Amino acid sequence: MKKTTLCYIDNNGSWLMLYRNKKPDDPNEGKWLGIGGKIEPGETPDECNKREVLEETGLILLNQTFHGVIKFRATTYENEDMYLYSSGDFEPADEAAKERFRTDGIYELPECDEGELRWIPKEELPGLPMWEGDRAFVEKLLAGTQNISMTLQYTGEVCKIIEEQTD
């Protein structure tokens, strides 16, 4: 079973999202996702989340909030347990970018091998093309839910929530 992390980064009411459009044969092509990736052997989910955010965005997470585990069960794709995070406390790793971010609040997003990074205002997120299951937990994050655990069953691209615990 695949184990991954996914993080939603908030900056003044906009979330950093990744539009997947660069990798060949990408099952996520044409969809918007948070930032994340596979947990490496010997790595904790917290470590993986920080590493993936740094690798894909050039941002160092100073604090992160763990929300829960989203379990994806599927007929077509490998089963996956995804550790869900958010953060609004970060800084650029690059010193010049860090100084500009501190003074102007501006961070120029780097090129990403997997797709296009973009800050999306929260109110626009529900209208973006994304996986049905992602939409379920993104709506909960937008509503301020802190603890989110779900089991999602995918049959092709059709998703059904088969278990949910939130508070």
Side-chain angles (χ1 to χ4, degrees):
M1 177 179 320
K2 183 165 58 168
K3 293 191 182 281
T4 62
T5 62
L6 189 67
C7 188
Y8 292 93
I9 301 168
D10 184 354
N11 185 30
N12 297 318
S14 291
W15 284 8
L16 184 54
M17 300 291 288
L18 175 62
Y19 181 67
R20 298 290 291 258
N21 62 354
K22 291 187 179 176
K23 289 171 67 174
D25 302 318
D26 184 356
N28 295 306
E29 184 174 4
K31 294 186 173 48
W32 289 91
L33 306 170
I35 309 304
K38 293 180 188 169
I39 298 173
E40 295 179 353
E43 188 175 49
T44 68
D46 285 357
E47 292 166 341
C48 173
N49 189 56
K50 289 179 179 181
R51 176 185 54 77
E52 287 287 344
V53 167
L54 179 61
E55 287 176 1
E56 293 181 12
T57 70
L59 295 173
I60 297 170
L61 294 181
L62 302 174
N63 288 296
Q64 59 188 2
T65 300
F66 173 66
H67 293 281
V69 178
I70 310 297
K71 298 177 181 182
F72 295 96
R73 303 300 178 251
T75 55
T76 342
Y77 302 106
E78 182 180 0
N79 289 337
E80 177 179 344
D81 284 353
M82 185 200 68
Y83 295 76
L84 181 62
Y85 291 87
S86 67
S87 180
D89 191 11
F90 58 87
E91 65 183 12
D94 177 79
E95 286 302 320
K98 186 184 302 184
E99 187 57 37
R100 182 164 188 219
F101 183 68
R102 284 184 184 152
T103 14
D104 303 335
I106 296 170
Y107 178 61
E108 298 292 329
L109 295 168
E111 288 292 317
C112 179
D113 293 345
E114 297 182 14
E116 175 190 341
L117 291 167
R118 191 181 314 163
W119 293 106
I120 306 286
K122 283 188 203 182
E123 60 273 8
E124 293 179 20
L125 291 172
L128 296 178
M130 61 177 70
W131 288 101
E132 229 181 298
D134 287 23
R135 191 172 307 287
F137 56 79
V138 164
E139 287 173 0
K140 297 206 176 296
L141 286 171
L142 286 169
T145 306
Q146 289 300 305
N147 298 311
I148 304 168
S149 293
M150 297 177 154
T151 303
L152 305 172
Q153 176 67 53
Y154 271 94
T155 305
E157 289 201 20
V158 176
C159 178
K160 179 180 177 185
I161 299 171
I162 56 174
E163 184 181 359
E164 180 176 2
Q165 297 175 344
T166 61
D167 61 334

